[in-house]
Amino acid sequence: MINCTPKLGGQFELESGGQFAPKLVVNLHWNRMVNLTGFSNNSKGIDSYIGRIYKNEPQAYVRTMDDDAGTMSSWFVMRSIGLSPANIGSPIYYLTAPIFETVKLNWENGKSFHIKVRNYNKNHFYIQSARLNGQPLFRNWLSQEEISNGGTLIIETGVLPNKKWGIEDQWISKTE
């Protein structure tokens, strides 16, 4: 079990004797853990790791990393477009700050889902607000059904966290 503790200024510290290390598969769930604390907007997008850990080239991760049968590269792609799987087997994705200004996902049913970033800047790691199909989105997640139905998600990003965004209607997996 890994515990995380909120610190002053909204930062988190792992109580497992280590730090968050985005180059390790076991730390891919960090974003999900932070989202479940109610401090959802303190989870950064992938931008802050571009160039240091992940690079824009065929072997896009540091040489000491193991891609683990595609786990690391698929995580990188999902986080890069602004979506982070909330839980394996659950059709829910947490929102993160994309590294692209626009993304278009084309579905076999002919529909498309567009992700657009307002106030785009490579140093804007935090979501300030979001709109789904023109309506304000106060939660920090989308369902696969919402994405598959097509439409437009507009994410506004900024340098500092908006601590009031993304804390309503928290998605928490249920066991049955």
Side-chain angles (χ1 to χ4, degrees), residues 41-103:
N41 211 24
N42 284 310
S43 57
K44 287 186 175 183
I46 189 70
D47 274 14
S48 60
Y49 307 112
I50 300 290
R52 291 187 301 139
I53 295 173
Y54 302 98
K55 300 178 185 333
N56 187 16
E57 55 191 48
Q59 289 286 21
Y61 44 87
V62 294
R63 280 187 238 152
T64 58
M65 289 171 59
D66 179 1
D67 192 32
D68 290 320
T71 300
M72 298 303 288
S73 53
S74 62
W75 174 83
F76 175 76
V77 169
M78 292 299 293
R79 291 294 299 264
S80 294
I81 66 171
L83 302 172
S84 179
N87 190 40
I88 302 302
S90 298
I92 302 294
Y93 302 89
Y94 285 122
L95 302 179
T96 63
I99 67 170
F100 303 105
E101 200 166 351
T102 61
V103 173

Side-chain angles (χ1 to χ4, degrees), residues 17 22 26 40 46 51 62 78 80 92-93 97 117 122 126-128 131 138 144 169:
V26 295
S40 68
I46 189 70
V62 294
M78 292 299 293
S80 294
I92 302 294
Y93 302 89
V117 180
K122 68 177 188 138
Y126 299 100
I127 296 175
Q128 303 300 300
R131 297 182 79 79
F138 300 107
Q144 179 66 49
D169 192 17

Side-chain angles (χ1 to χ4, degrees), residues 2-175:
I2 298 175
N3 295 314
C4 65
T5 305
K7 301 292 182 186
L8 292 177
Q11 300 301 311
F12 286 82
E13 177 181 294
L14 288 177
E15 294 178 353
S16 61
Q19 303 174 13
F20 168 61
K23 63 182 183 176
L24 301 175
V25 174
V26 295
N27 286 189
L28 297 182
H29 301 291
W30 174 249
N31 180 260
R32 182 171 63 92
M33 290 172 29
V34 173
N35 278 317
L36 295 174
T37 66
F39 292 91
S40 68
N41 211 24
N42 284 310
S43 57
K44 287 186 175 183
I46 189 70
D47 274 14
S48 60
Y49 307 112
I50 300 290
R52 291 187 301 139
I53 295 173
Y54 302 98
K55 300 178 185 333
N56 187 16
E57 55 191 48
Q59 289 286 21
Y61 44 87
V62 294
R63 280 187 238 152
T64 58
M65 289 171 59
D66 179 1
D67 192 32
D68 290 320
T71 300
M72 298 303 288
S73 53
S74 62
W75 174 83
F76 175 76
V77 169
M78 292 299 293
R79 291 294 299 264
S80 294
I81 66 171
L83 302 172
S84 179
N87 190 40
I88 302 302
S90 298
I92 302 294
Y93 302 89
Y94 285 122
L95 302 179
T96 63
I99 67 170
F100 303 105
E101 200 166 351
T102 61
V103 173
K104 181 180 178 186
L105 304 174
N106 296 314
W107 302 113
E108 289 181 4
N109 63 8
K111 295 181 180 181
S112 296
F113 188 74
H114 302 264
I115 301 171
K116 299 179 181 182
V117 180
R118 202 167 53 176
N119 199 27
Y120 178 82
N121 184 298
K122 68 177 188 138
N123 296 315
H124 289 183
F125 304 130
Y126 299 100
I127 296 175
Q128 303 300 300
S129 65
R131 297 182 79 79
L132 180 61
N133 299 323
Q135 300 298 312
L137 185 67
F138 300 107
R139 57 186 158 90
N140 64 346
W141 58 272
L142 291 178
S143 69
Q144 179 66 49
E145 182 179 15
E146 289 171 310
I147 298 168
S148 297
N149 285 337
T152 301
L153 173 67
I154 298 174
I155 297 174
E156 182 177 354
T157 59
V159 176
L160 299 173
N162 173 359
K163 295 182 181 182
K164 294 182 180 179
W165 181 83
I167 58 173
E168 293 182 21
D169 192 17
Q170 294 284 305
W171 183 85
I172 299 173
S173 66
K174 298 178 177 113
T175 56

